[in-house]
Amino acid sequence: MKIGLIGLPLVGKTTVFNLLTGRSEETTSFGGGKRESHLATIKVPDMRIDALSAHYKPRKTTLAEIEFLDVPGFKVGHGGIPSDQLNEMRNLDALVHVLRFFESDEVLRDDSSVDGLSDALSLEQELILTDLLLVEKRLERLRIEFGKGRKELALELELMERLAEVLEGEKPLRTYEFSERDEDLIKGYQLVSRLPMILLANIDDAPPEADLAKLEAMAGEGNLAYLALNSVSEWEILQLPEEDRQVFLEDLGVEEPARDRFIQSGYSLLDLVSFFTVGEDEVRAWTIAKGLPAVRAAGKIHSDLERGFIRAEVIACDRFFELGGMTEARKEGALRLEGKEYPVQDGDIMNIRFSV
């Protein structure tokens, strides 16, 4: 899973990046004009895989990962999203729009105000416009080719007309429900307003509660997730010895570290789950979309497993530990044999039977 942090210059995006990844990239106001992106990968903590690893004592334990990209800040309404940033955004699984809800004498907007609500709306409109331009260009070409007798383009032409209607209504494509046929037709289009997005309010010690409530409501209306972080304070707490952090987090009114809260929001937003493969060689977590058929989940492990899929042996992680391990589960007949279309559940332990 690759997630990009985007937003205006000087909204604290890189501080959020450092907080989530444990990095120490430059965050001074002088860094606002930087052009390079920062990239870092974190492991996704999971007590279930810790327990499975303790049970099997494998040679290797592999946690799921999230890759974070700190995209250089850009302004909207000035000729569109810069091409470099747009190209990076097109290759992401989700966006995090970092919004400024903090006061600082050292960090001023062009108009010397703080208006995260306006910034959220402006970027949404820019994403919609970006996709509309792409869809209109494709529509123009499709109409020409269809008029020349290429009737096989009828379905794509119809879809593009529907998408144009959504975008012209100033709605992002994440609000449109794509069918499986639609998915096949738009492969490769990389439509940015369709990307799942978290609105992340970067706050200080006296956040504007009324504005935050409006932002949370905006997120709900736009099929977005919402999260508020005091990135500076939480980053300072992260520098303390581990045994001291929880007390300071509680003083800040926070029950869990920012990274844990973010991972929960990200998995919920993307509707992701984890399944596990186990053994003495390796215990590994695999991240997939909720409800993904077993045959396609097998393909995440290796293409041969998807191509030669016969069936999957499945047991829920909780049931595995309740029975005391795989040997006992087999004796009890607790392993289920599932076919290709079985929707994989969060916490499933799977062994794929295949033949190629």
Side-chain angles (χ1 to χ4, degrees):
M1 178 165 56
K2 190 172 184 179
I3 296 178
L5 306 180
I6 62 172
L8 272 66
L10 308 178
V11 295
K13 199 162 39 60
T14 302
T15 303
V16 173
F17 174 82
N18 288 339
L19 176 62
L20 297 175
T21 64
R23 296 279 285 272
S24 300
E25 301 293 348
E26 176 62 52
T27 60
T28 67
S29 59
F30 298 104
K34 68 179 175 63
R35 301 300 299 174
E36 76 283 358
S37 298
H38 300 132
L39 183 67
T41 301
I42 67 167
K43 305 292 184 183
V44 178
D46 192 324
M47 294 190 334
R48 298 170 300 181
I49 200 169
D50 293 341
L52 288 168
S53 188
H55 179 87
Y56 278 96
K57 297 179 175 57
R59 284 183 278 276
K60 183 180 181 182
T61 298
T62 305
L63 297 169
E65 294 181 341
I66 296 177
E67 195 172 23
F68 287 100
L69 184 70
D70 175 21
V71 179
F74 57 86
K75 296 179 181 179
V76 296
H78 296 268
I81 301 171
S83 58
D84 287 350
Q85 283 90 328
L86 183 58
N87 288 336
E88 289 187 311
M89 289 164 62
R90 292 194 190 280
N91 294 307
L92 297 168
D93 297 308
L95 300 173
V96 179
H97 188 190
V98 180
L99 297 156
R100 181 181 168 185
F101 283 85
F102 62 88
E103 299 284 352
S104 173
D105 293 335
E106 297 179 3
V107 182
L108 296 176
R109 288 165 48 106
D110 291 344
D111 57 5
S112 300
S113 66
V114 177
D115 192 352
L117 289 168
S118 175
D119 294 342
L121 287 169
S122 296
L123 180 72
E124 186 76 291
Q125 291 166 358
E126 201 69 58
L127 295 176
I128 291 169
L129 179 59
T130 297
D131 281 350
L132 181 59
L133 292 173
L134 187 154
V135 168
E136 287 179 337
K137 185 175 181 180
R138 180 58 180 162
L139 260 177
E140 182 180 355
R141 186 64 184 168
L142 284 169
R143 285 167 178 155
I144 293 172
E145 294 298 318
F146 185 75
K148 291 179 178 179
R150 294 191 58 187
K151 303 304 180 185
E152 73 275 13
L153 297 176
L155 291 176
E156 185 182 356
L157 176 59
E158 180 189 0
L159 173 61
M160 287 295 132
E161 288 174 340
R162 279 185 273 131
L163 297 187
E165 185 177 350
V166 173
L167 294 164
E168 287 167 353
E170 299 186 351
K171 297 289 186 182
L173 292 181
R174 78 180 74 86
T175 64
Y176 177 82
E177 189 170 342
F178 288 82
S179 68
E180 284 191 25
R181 187 181 70 181
D182 293 340
E183 296 284 3
D184 290 335
L185 290 170
I186 64 162
K187 280 181 180 176
Y189 275 92
Q190 298 177 305
L191 298 161
V192 289
S193 77
R194 193 188 172 197
L195 289 171
M197 186 159 65
I198 297 174
L199 297 181
L200 192 154
N202 194 10
I203 63 175
D204 55 20
D205 293 333
E209 298 295 347
D211 285 347
L212 292 179
K214 291 177 183 177
L215 184 69
E216 188 170 8
M218 184 190 301
E221 293 167 2
N223 198 22
L224 304 168
Y226 163 80
L227 189 64
L229 295 177
N230 186 332
S231 62
V232 171
S233 294
E234 291 206 46
W235 169 247
E236 291 171 349
I237 291 171
L238 192 61
Q239 310 314 301
L240 299 173
E242 189 170 353
E243 60 271 17
D244 296 333
R245 294 174 191 169
Q246 190 58 42
V247 173
F248 284 90
L249 285 174
E250 290 172 0
D251 288 343
L252 197 61
V254 172
E255 295 181 1
E256 296 178 286
R259 182 184 296 185
D260 293 351
R261 282 152 36 223
F262 185 91
I263 289 171
Q264 290 170 13
S265 293
Y267 268 60
S268 175
L269 173 67
L270 296 173
D271 216 10
L272 300 175
V273 298
S274 295
F275 75 94
F276 308 106
T277 52
V278 297
E280 293 181 357
D281 288 333
E282 183 182 28
V283 168
R284 181 164 183 164
W286 302 88
T287 300
I288 59 169
K290 184 179 181 181
L292 191 73
V295 64
R296 291 180 58 194
K300 297 288 185 181
I301 303 171
H302 197 283
S303 58
D304 284 351
L305 273 65
E306 182 173 5
R307 184 160 53 93
F309 185 96
I310 299 173
R311 63 181 62 88
E313 293 182 319
V314 183
I315 184 171
C317 197
D318 290 346
R319 182 65 172 154
F320 173 90
F321 286 112
E322 181 184 319
L323 294 172
M326 195 64 74
T327 301
E328 292 76 8
R330 290 188 185 280
K331 288 178 181 177
E332 292 289 332
L335 286 173
R336 309 188 312 275
L337 294 179
E338 301 287 359
K340 290 183 177 182
E341 298 306 314
Y342 166 71
V344 178
Q345 305 297 305
D346 186 44
D348 278 349
I349 298 173
M350 295 178 61
N351 178 46
I352 308 299
R353 295 184 183 179
F354 72 106
S355 177
V356 292

